[in-house]
Amino acid sequence: MEKAFQKNLINIEPYVAGEQPKSDDIIKLNANENPYPPSPAVQKAIAEFDAGALRLYPPMDAAPLRQAIADFYGIDRSCVFAGNGSDDVLAAAFRAFFNSDKPLLYPDITYSFYPVWCELLKIPFETVPVDEGFNIHVEDYYRENGGIVIPNPNAPTTIGLGLDAVEDLISHNRDSIVIIDEAYADFSGVSCVPLIKKYDNLVITQTFSKSRALAGMRVACAMADPYLIGYLDAVKDSYNSYPMDAVAIRAGAAAMSDREYFEQTCKKIIATRERTAAGLRELGFILPDSSANFLFVTHPKHTAKEIFSYLRERGIYIRYFNKPRIDDRLRITIGTDEQMDRLISELRTLIQG
Ligand code: PMP
């Protein structure tokens, strides 16, 4: 018999992340992680961390990290919020900014966590279709809404909008908060951080999980007008005053301070991306030019599911989404050159026999 409390339990379909392999010899190209370690400055910060300091709560506002982010971008610390991965930052931002009866707008093909937060937080939403080539048209967002969220570049499509298009979107929606999720912007070179001085309705989120190789540490930030940062702090202080631990604050600040290492690794990943895209096209794959650290591919002669299973059996994990409009596509994270060579060689065997 159903117990009375059972009808009060949450009814939600949670976000499903990429599979985590059980063994170390898997080539893991399914979560858009960085194939290189974080900056040596991170290793040093962790090695020098005094465990005795864990006796005390961490700085409530993650100040050293916020300062390092502000210094990197040449903005004021009051424009920066920090959180426990951008999923944490985005969840706080959805809670803080999307309280309208009008629908939140986001692309129909995009980061699949957005509908989960809408469901959890009871936010009305409408999806805006991307075109056949997966392009976002900002004119489609010139309509009444309770807010907008768009990743730039978009995931999993890999396609980025130029700065002019993003500014157009923000300036046509001055009565709404526009969140630009820049999880992958370091691989495109297009960031709208300079626009936060100009637009008080813009919120940018960034993560340290991809370009700064700290997925395991959970570090991310938002950048916006200080007035909006105040609302993010208010939400944070209403559910968890100390979301970031003391080690993550130090390690994140160290990662931000090493600009040279960051630029070098991004450059390496971009070079591998271009080489891999060319190799896949030679095998007949079709894919848009990528502005991210992953590729979004389809093959005219082999189904996505078939390729996914073939690679999985050979120890290479990529991502397949069994969802409308993209169930013939695969998302492949850019690994090291050696890992991508293995991938291409396995695919060559499948396709050319
Ligand atoms: N936004 C987008 C578009 C993503 O793909 C991801 C990674 N899953 C995130 C945000 C969240 O990343 P994290 O929580 O690791 O910062």
Side-chain angles (χ1 to χ4, degrees):
M1 204 181 79
E2 195 185 37
K3 302 240 174 61
F5 68 76
Q6 284 177 298
K7 62 177 181 304
N8 298 326
L9 299 175
I10 191 164
N11 179 13
I12 195 156
E13 206 178 304
Y15 173 74
V16 183
E19 181 180 358
Q20 299 198 308
K22 308 278 177 293
S23 92
D24 284 345
D25 49 0
I26 297 294
I27 298 183
K28 189 172 183 300
L29 307 175
N30 68 350
N32 299 341
E33 292 144 327
N34 198 310
Y36 302 108
S39 154
V42 171
Q43 184 70 58
K44 187 163 177 280
I46 295 173
E48 287 172 0
F49 188 85
D50 169 18
L54 293 175
R55 192 175 60 77
L56 302 174
Y57 283 106
M60 202 177 195
D61 59 356
L65 174 62
R66 291 198 202 202
Q67 187 63 56
I69 296 164
D71 291 346
F72 184 89
Y73 282 109
I75 57 179
D76 194 80
R77 196 175 93 185
S78 59
C79 299
V80 183
F81 174 81
N84 197 8
S86 57
D87 287 340
D88 179 54
V89 173
L90 282 161
F94 272 49
R95 186 69 196 82
F97 304 128
F98 300 147
N99 296 297
S100 170
D101 297 333
K102 294 177 202 152
L104 171 69
L105 303 181
Y106 56 80
D108 64 335
I109 299 174
T110 196
Y111 185 33
S112 46
F113 221 135
Y114 300 157
V116 178
W117 288 314
C118 287
E119 185 66 31
L120 180 70
L121 300 167
K122 309 277 177 257
I123 299 169
F125 68 94
E126 275 174 29
T127 58
V128 181
V130 296
D131 73 14
E132 285 300 299
F134 302 121
N135 299 291
I136 291 171
H137 295 277
V138 291
E139 316 82 76
D140 298 341
Y141 294 80
Y142 295 174
R143 61 177 163 109
E144 221 186 20
N145 61 71
I148 295 173
V149 56
I150 290 183
N152 194 38
N154 195 10
T157 68
T158 73
I159 299 175
L161 290 170
L163 202 54
D164 288 351
V166 179
E167 182 160 9
D168 195 50
L169 175 76
I170 302 161
S171 64
H172 275 87
N173 286 284
R174 294 307 304 262
D175 288 330
S176 303
I177 298 290
V178 178
I179 299 182
I180 304 294
D181 175 350
E182 292 193 348
Y184 303 103
D186 293 323
F187 304 104
S188 74
V190 176
S191 167
C192 58
V193 172
L195 298 181
I196 61 168
K197 290 202 177 84
K198 200 164 160 192
Y199 295 99
D200 62 1
N201 61 322
L202 167 63
V203 177
I204 298 162
T205 58
Q206 288 193 355
T207 177
F208 286 45
S209 301
K210 317 294 178 182
S211 55
R212 293 177 199 275
L214 279 181
M217 194 122 230
R218 316 305 299 129
V219 183
C221 65
M223 289 170 276
D225 186 282
Y227 172 76
L228 296 182
I229 296 297
Y231 284 88
L232 286 173
D233 277 324
V235 168
K236 172 183 83 69
D237 293 337
S238 303
Y239 75 89
N240 182 359
S241 302
Y242 309 99
M244 300 207 64
D245 67 71
V247 183
I249 292 170
R250 291 273 188 87
M256 256 300 162
S257 69
D258 192 350
R259 190 184 287 267
E260 199 185 329
Y261 181 86
F262 159 76
E263 286 174 355
Q264 265 173 16
T265 42
C266 286
K267 225 165 120 182
K268 260 203 296 201
I269 291 166
I270 291 167
T272 307
R273 175 185 79 197
E274 296 310 307
R275 215 170 62 84
T276 308
L280 290 171
R281 286 186 178 118
E282 259 173 44
L283 294 177
F285 282 92
I286 298 165
L287 58 152
D289 289 334
S290 170
S291 296
N293 66 334
F294 53 94
L295 301 170
F296 197 47
V297 311
T298 185
H299 197 279
K301 298 212 180 85
H302 298 268
T303 66
K305 215 168 168 183
E306 176 196 354
I307 298 170
F308 170 82
S309 305
Y310 178 88
L311 289 175
R312 196 175 182 285
E313 281 160 19
R314 284 154 185 80
I316 302 177
Y317 286 14
I318 59 172
R319 194 87 201 256
Y320 167 65
F321 300 95
N322 192 4
K323 289 200 172 145
R325 294 193 75 189
I326 57 168
D327 59 358
D328 61 344
R329 298 260 157 184
L330 294 160
R331 193 193 70 188
I332 306 173
T333 303
I334 301 301
T336 60
D337 278 321
E338 296 70 40
Q339 289 175 327
M340 301 324 271
D341 287 347
R342 247 295 296 291
L343 171 93
I344 299 265
S345 134
E346 295 289 2
L347 288 172
R348 185 172 298 118
T349 308
L350 170 72
I351 287 157
Q352 298 176 345

Short mmCIF file of all heavy atoms in Angstrom, two decimals, residues 15 85-87 90 111 151 155 181 183-184 207 209-210 218, ligand 1:
data_model
loop_
_atom_site.label_atom_id
_atom_site.label_comp_id
_atom_site.label_asym_id
_atom_site.label_seq_id
_atom_site.Cartn_x
_atom_site.Cartn_y
_atom_site.Cartn_z
N TYR A 15 19.43 14.96 -14.51
CA TYR A 15 20.44 15.05 -15.57
C TYR A 15 21.30 13.78 -15.54
O TYR A 15 21.62 13.26 -14.47
CB TYR A 15 21.31 16.28 -15.32
CG TYR A 15 22.49 16.39 -16.24
CD1 TYR A 15 22.32 16.77 -17.57
CD2 TYR A 15 23.78 16.11 -15.79
CE1 TYR A 15 23.41 16.87 -18.43
CE2 TYR A 15 24.88 16.22 -16.64
CZ TYR A 15 24.69 16.59 -17.96
OH TYR A 15 25.76 16.69 -18.79
N GLY A 85 31.57 24.45 -9.23
CA GLY A 85 31.28 23.98 -10.59
C GLY A 85 30.20 24.85 -11.19
O GLY A 85 29.41 25.48 -10.46
N SER A 86 30.14 24.92 -12.53
CA SER A 86 29.15 25.84 -13.08
C SER A 86 27.74 25.28 -12.99
O SER A 86 26.77 26.03 -13.08
CB SER A 86 29.51 26.34 -14.49
OG SER A 86 29.68 25.32 -15.38
N ASP A 87 27.60 23.98 -12.75
CA ASP A 87 26.24 23.48 -12.47
C ASP A 87 25.69 24.13 -11.21
O ASP A 87 24.51 24.49 -11.13
CB ASP A 87 26.25 21.95 -12.33
CG ASP A 87 26.43 21.25 -13.68
OD1 ASP A 87 26.16 21.88 -14.72
OD2 ASP A 87 26.83 20.07 -13.69
N LEU A 90 25.08 27.89 -12.13
CA LEU A 90 23.88 28.04 -12.98
C LEU A 90 22.60 27.78 -12.19
O LEU A 90 21.61 28.49 -12.35
CB LEU A 90 23.96 27.08 -14.18
CG LEU A 90 24.90 27.54 -15.31
CD1 LEU A 90 25.29 26.37 -16.20
CD2 LEU A 90 24.23 28.63 -16.15
N TYR A 111 22.48 22.36 -23.70
CA TYR A 111 22.90 21.65 -22.49
C TYR A 111 21.67 21.06 -21.80
O TYR A 111 20.76 21.80 -21.42
CB TYR A 111 23.64 22.64 -21.59
CG TYR A 111 24.25 22.02 -20.34
CD1 TYR A 111 24.75 20.72 -20.35
CD2 TYR A 111 24.36 22.76 -19.18
CE1 TYR A 111 25.32 20.18 -19.21
CE2 TYR A 111 24.94 22.23 -18.03
CZ TYR A 111 25.41 20.93 -18.06
OH TYR A 111 25.99 20.40 -16.93
N PRO A 151 24.33 28.63 -24.21
CA PRO A 151 25.77 28.40 -24.12
C PRO A 151 26.45 28.96 -25.38
O PRO A 151 25.93 28.81 -26.48
CB PRO A 151 25.91 26.87 -24.11
CG PRO A 151 24.52 26.32 -24.04
CD PRO A 151 23.61 27.39 -24.55
N ALA A 155 26.46 23.70 -26.77
CA ALA A 155 26.77 22.28 -26.57
C ALA A 155 25.47 21.50 -26.75
O ALA A 155 24.43 21.96 -26.27
CB ALA A 155 27.31 22.06 -25.17
N ASP A 181 26.33 31.05 -21.10
CA ASP A 181 27.08 29.97 -20.46
C ASP A 181 28.35 29.74 -21.28
O ASP A 181 28.31 29.13 -22.35
CB ASP A 181 26.16 28.73 -20.43
CG ASP A 181 26.83 27.47 -19.90
OD1 ASP A 181 28.05 27.47 -19.72
OD2 ASP A 181 26.10 26.48 -19.68
N ALA A 183 30.98 27.88 -20.86
CA ALA A 183 31.74 26.70 -20.43
C ALA A 183 32.90 26.38 -21.40
O ALA A 183 33.96 25.92 -20.99
CB ALA A 183 30.82 25.48 -20.30
N TYR A 184 32.66 26.66 -22.70
CA TYR A 184 33.66 26.27 -23.71
C TYR A 184 34.26 27.47 -24.44
O TYR A 184 34.94 27.31 -25.46
CB TYR A 184 33.01 25.31 -24.72
CG TYR A 184 32.44 24.09 -24.03
CD1 TYR A 184 31.06 23.96 -23.81
CD2 TYR A 184 33.27 23.10 -23.55
CE1 TYR A 184 30.54 22.87 -23.13
CE2 TYR A 184 32.77 22.00 -22.87
CZ TYR A 184 31.41 21.89 -22.66
OH TYR A 184 30.91 20.81 -21.99
N THR A 207 33.45 27.89 -16.37
CA THR A 207 33.86 26.77 -15.54
C THR A 207 35.36 26.53 -15.61
O THR A 207 35.98 26.84 -16.64
CB THR A 207 33.12 25.48 -15.95
OG1 THR A 207 33.60 24.40 -15.15
CG2 THR A 207 33.33 25.13 -17.41
N SER A 209 36.33 23.44 -15.29
CA SER A 209 36.34 22.00 -15.57
C SER A 209 36.93 21.65 -16.93
O SER A 209 37.32 20.51 -17.15
CB SER A 209 34.91 21.45 -15.53
OG SER A 209 34.30 21.67 -14.31
N LYS A 210 36.93 22.59 -17.85
CA LYS A 210 37.32 22.28 -19.23
C LYS A 210 38.70 22.87 -19.52
O LYS A 210 39.68 22.16 -19.50
CB LYS A 210 36.27 22.83 -20.21
CG LYS A 210 34.82 22.61 -19.78
CD LYS A 210 34.42 21.17 -19.74
CE LYS A 210 32.99 20.99 -19.27
NZ LYS A 210 32.58 19.62 -19.18
N ARG A 218 35.74 20.96 -8.93
CA ARG A 218 34.46 21.69 -8.91
C ARG A 218 34.68 23.18 -8.61
O ARG A 218 34.53 23.65 -7.48
CB ARG A 218 33.46 21.08 -7.91
CG ARG A 218 33.34 19.57 -7.92
CD ARG A 218 33.02 19.03 -9.30
NE ARG A 218 31.75 19.50 -9.82
CZ ARG A 218 31.60 20.06 -11.03
NH1 ARG A 218 32.62 20.21 -11.86
NH2 ARG A 218 30.42 20.46 -11.42
N1 PMP B 1 27.50 24.26 -19.13
C1 PMP B 1 27.69 23.47 -20.17
C2 PMP B 1 27.23 23.92 -21.52
C3 PMP B 1 28.30 22.22 -20.01
O1 PMP B 1 28.48 21.40 -21.05
C4 PMP B 1 28.74 21.83 -18.72
C5 PMP B 1 29.45 20.51 -18.52
N2 PMP B 1 28.65 19.43 -18.32
C6 PMP B 1 28.50 22.70 -17.65
C7 PMP B 1 27.88 23.91 -17.89
C8 PMP B 1 28.83 22.34 -16.23
O2 PMP B 1 30.18 22.18 -15.98
P1 PMP B 1 30.76 22.14 -14.51
O3 PMP B 1 29.63 21.91 -13.54
O4 PMP B 1 31.75 21.02 -14.50
O5 PMP B 1 31.40 23.47 -14.28
#
